Amino acid sequence: MKKILVLLLIVSGCMESSTGIVEVVRDQSGGETTILDRTSQAFTAPASNLNDAELEQHLSGDLEFESVFVTAPSPLNPGLGPTFNHTACNGCHISNGRGATVVGEDLLRSQMLVRVSLSDESGMIPADGGPIPVPGMGLQIQDHAVFGETPEAKITLNWIESSGEYPDGTTYTLRQPDLDIRLPDGSALPKNIRTSLRQPPPVFGLGLFEAVSESTILENSDPDDRDGDGISGRPNYVWSTERKEKVLGRFSWKANVYDLLEQTGGAYNSDMGVTNPIANNDDAGNPMDGPPEISRQRVEDATFYAQTLAVPAPFNIDAQERGRKLFVKMDCAKCHTESMTSDDSHPIEALRNQTFFAYTDLLLHDMGPGLADGRRDYEASGNEWRTAPLWGLGLTQTVAPFTSGFLHDGRARTIEEAILWHGGESKKSRENFKNLSKADRQSLLDFLQSL
Ligand code: HEC
Ligand code: HEC
Ligand SMILES: [Ca+2]
Ligand SMILES: [Ca+2]
Ligand SMILES: [Ca+2]
């Protein structure tokens, strides 16, 4: 079937107007980076269009991503801590997918992070416009420490369940996190500190997000909702430590990070306590004395790895046309923009001029009070989140069985629960979903599961 469509296109020479072409390309979810793999290793393959030199750097980066850091002095990977969240990138991004959300345990077992800041009412907004660091704690709680040092806090995660009903009488249960955060002296975190629980997102395909031009992203934004459909979509503008100016943010759950280099340098510094030329403080905001603990090259190699991971192709997506049409009809695609095309300027050749299907506009949306964390991050309000990409969604629990959840804090145990949490700008879309027949809801879920 597909071959016939391709032939027809060659004959007709018409790429845009044929409806057939969309099906053919949709299989190539990551453009030419795409691989065919639906196993637990599906997020770990190098992009299939890398040249030899690129492949070599990718493999060096793979080693960096797996490097386990230890307390100095040590011949290999010293520099962990003094406080930290985990010891390796892939300790949190399990097989390059999400972390796990374990109940009750301290968060090292669950790979989750808690971001913190002071409430804006305290009026000390930093010159770069970012969130206000908590004195002595910075912007993130490190709940582990090397021997002889004290973790910043002890965090316990529990879930609160609630139940609801579809108009057709089918019932469901949802859960939301309830954090208990204790300072070393046993006292609770002061009330003026905003907290935000974050699950590690998957790390494949992200180079393509870097390779999209700013104007491509801004095309989909509608900050004042001029077309009156209740959906806005706002860019986040964040401080770039490398460029030393405010730039469009694309990474992390609030699009509050500029690029993958700054994301990676920040992760070494804040998540592992490993200072480096990109980020060099103890996450209480204090610049560290002494030379960085790892070289710029090592940070660049780990970055390159995340930039050049392959995107797994969807499974038999042609059979999910009914669900895909419902996805569009329910207005899901108004935020989960089906495809984008990168331009020709990214330094990595394999990422240039690729049309890919990530199902995100990379913009911020108000998702309502149910999902709100109340913690501003640059332009992102306490209600706003970056539209989560949906590629690879159906592989989530293949890659990390029984453990991973959906949404920024992993609260949704299933894709269905994730949809039911949609509020704010996406409330109408959620209601559309709830009002579908059971069979139609299943078709939509089957489509998402095929991604
Ligand atoms: C303690 C767990 C943990 C460790 C260790 C960790 N990460 Fe993450 N990572 C996260 C979390 C949580 C987020 C989401 C952060 C947010 O939204 O604020 C994230 C976000 C990311 C993103 C952005 C993904 C996206 O969709 O925008 C990338 C890329 C990334 N991490 C790469 C790395 C690399 C490279 C390392 C090692 C140097 C690393 N991470 C170490 C937990 C971790
Ligand atoms: C107004 C914009 C908007 C609309 C409309 C919308 N979404 Fe979302 N979606 C988001 C945002 C933003 C997130 C991330 C929210 C979070 O993590 O708290 C998200 C997250 C998700 C997730 C979880 C993804 C993950 O990686 O954990 C799924 C699944 C999803 N959406 C499916 C849908 C479906 C299906 C529809 C239509 C019924 C829909 N969305 C409509 C903005 C939207
Ligand atoms: Ca250190
Ligand atoms: Ca801290
Ligand atoms: Ca609009």
Side-chain angles (χ1 to χ4, degrees):
M1 179 64 178
K2 252 175 261 161
K3 282 203 186 102
I4 294 168
L5 282 172
V6 173
L7 282 176
L8 280 175
L9 282 164
I10 291 167
V11 173
S12 72
C14 170
M15 296 296 283
E16 269 88 47
S17 63
S18 163
T19 48
I21 187 71
V22 179
E23 252 79 32
V24 174
V25 196
R26 192 177 295 277
D27 276 359
Q28 295 293 98
S29 44
E32 289 164 324
T33 75
T34 309
I35 46 138
L36 284 172
D37 185 347
R38 304 287 291 179
T39 71
S40 61
Q41 296 308 303
F43 298 161
T44 63
S48 38
N49 59 341
L50 298 184
N51 62 35
D52 289 351
E54 288 168 342
L55 189 59
E56 201 176 311
Q57 193 177 1
H58 177 93
L59 296 174
S60 310
D62 194 356
L63 293 178
E64 298 300 350
F65 203 79
E66 288 171 7
S67 291
V68 176
F69 280 79
V70 296
T71 317
S74 155
L76 207 63
N77 307 327
L80 180 71
T83 60
F84 63 96
N85 295 97
H86 216 301
T87 53
C89 307
N90 74 340
C92 286
H93 301 276
I94 301 170
S95 300
N96 298 344
R98 298 164 199 240
T101 47
V102 179
V103 185
E105 306 286 337
D106 77 312
L107 296 189
L108 179 61
R109 301 272 292 279
S110 69
Q111 292 94 19
M112 308 284 282
L113 284 184
V114 175
R115 302 234 176 273
V116 288
S117 64
L118 289 184
S119 68
D120 277 0
E121 290 82 78
S122 63
M124 299 176 296
I125 298 176
D128 68 10
I132 311 170
V134 179
M137 194 178 258
L139 294 170
Q140 177 174 329
I141 298 179
Q142 284 80 13
D143 58 343
H144 288 81
V146 299
F147 184 74
E149 298 283 340
T150 314
E152 288 179 332
K154 183 170 165 51
I155 304 169
T156 312
L157 168 63
N158 281 298
W159 299 105
I160 301 174
E161 289 209 351
S162 57
S163 55
E165 204 179 295
Y166 287 98
D168 71 7
T170 311
T171 55
Y172 56 81
T173 59
L174 299 176
R175 61 170 199 183
Q176 63 191 102
D178 178 35
L179 288 178
D180 183 51
I181 304 177
R182 298 276 149 188
L183 298 175
D185 66 4
S187 64
L189 204 63
K191 287 266 179 294
N192 64 337
I193 297 180
R194 300 276 178 267
T195 61
S196 184
L197 181 65
R198 304 284 171 91
Q199 154 173 240
V203 292
F204 67 86
L206 301 178
L208 292 166
F209 293 168
E210 273 189 349
V212 168
S213 74
E214 214 167 294
S215 57
T216 300
I217 295 173
L218 295 178
E219 246 163 50
N220 289 318
S221 79
D222 182 18
D224 304 317
D225 191 19
R226 293 207 174 186
D227 62 1
D229 64 355
I231 295 177
S232 53
R234 300 197 310 132
N236 200 354
Y237 287 101
V238 307
W239 183 256
S240 160
T241 51
E242 288 288 288
R243 286 178 48 177
K244 308 231 180 318
E245 59 178 335
K246 270 201 151 178
V247 288
L248 182 72
R250 304 174 186 218
F251 296 99
S252 279
W253 290 100
K254 285 201 190 243
N256 55 306
V257 178
Y258 165 53
D259 68 359
L260 291 169
L261 181 68
E262 293 187 15
Q263 179 80 49
T264 302
Y268 276 118
N269 182 66
S270 301
D271 302 351
M272 291 146 72
V274 178
T275 59
N276 60 80
I278 313 296
N280 190 26
N281 65 56
D282 62 4
D283 191 60
N286 312 316
M288 300 282 267
D289 294 335
E293 289 162 327
I294 54 170
S295 66
R296 189 178 176 103
Q297 188 61 50
R298 289 191 70 177
V299 182
E300 284 180 357
D301 285 350
T303 304
F304 193 88
Y305 179 66
Q307 284 170 321
T308 53
L309 284 162
V311 178
F315 176 71
N316 201 5
I317 197 165
D318 294 357
Q320 306 301 337
E321 199 43 27
R322 190 175 130 111
R324 192 185 74 80
K325 288 214 172 92
L326 286 165
F327 182 79
V328 174
K329 202 170 152 204
M330 303 292 102
D331 283 351
C332 311
K334 286 203 168 169
C335 303
H336 296 282
T337 308
E338 294 187 273
S339 75
M340 282 192 195
T341 303
S342 62
D343 71 8
D344 56 5
S345 62
H346 197 280
I348 301 171
E349 202 187 330
L351 301 172
R352 295 180 203 152
N353 301 315
Q354 300 298 322
T355 295
F356 58 93
F357 292 78
Y359 303 90
T360 174
D361 56 8
L362 296 174
L363 295 169
L364 298 171
H365 295 275
D366 182 333
M367 296 297 282
L371 287 173
D373 63 356
R375 180 181 178 276
R376 181 186 62 80
D377 210 327
Y378 294 95
E379 311 291 321
S381 76
N383 281 2
E384 285 177 315
W385 300 97
R386 180 189 77 177
T387 305
L390 302 180
W391 53 13
L393 201 66
L395 288 165
T396 302
Q397 280 143 345
T398 307
V399 166
F402 310 118
T403 52
S404 286
F406 300 94
L407 298 172
H408 64 272
D409 53 14
R411 67 175 68 189
R413 288 159 292 196
T414 59
I415 295 172
E416 182 182 6
E417 286 183 21
I419 300 170
L420 290 168
W421 275 109
H422 279 56
E425 291 172 40
S426 60
K427 189 170 165 197
K428 212 173 105 209
S429 191
R430 177 198 69 204
E431 290 304 309
N432 290 342
F433 172 73
K434 286 177 79 172
N435 285 314
L436 289 175
S437 70
K438 206 167 182 171
D440 279 348
R441 290 201 301 270
Q442 195 55 50
S443 295
L444 177 51
L445 293 172
D446 288 347
F447 161 67
L448 296 172
Q449 193 64 38
S450 79
L451 296 179

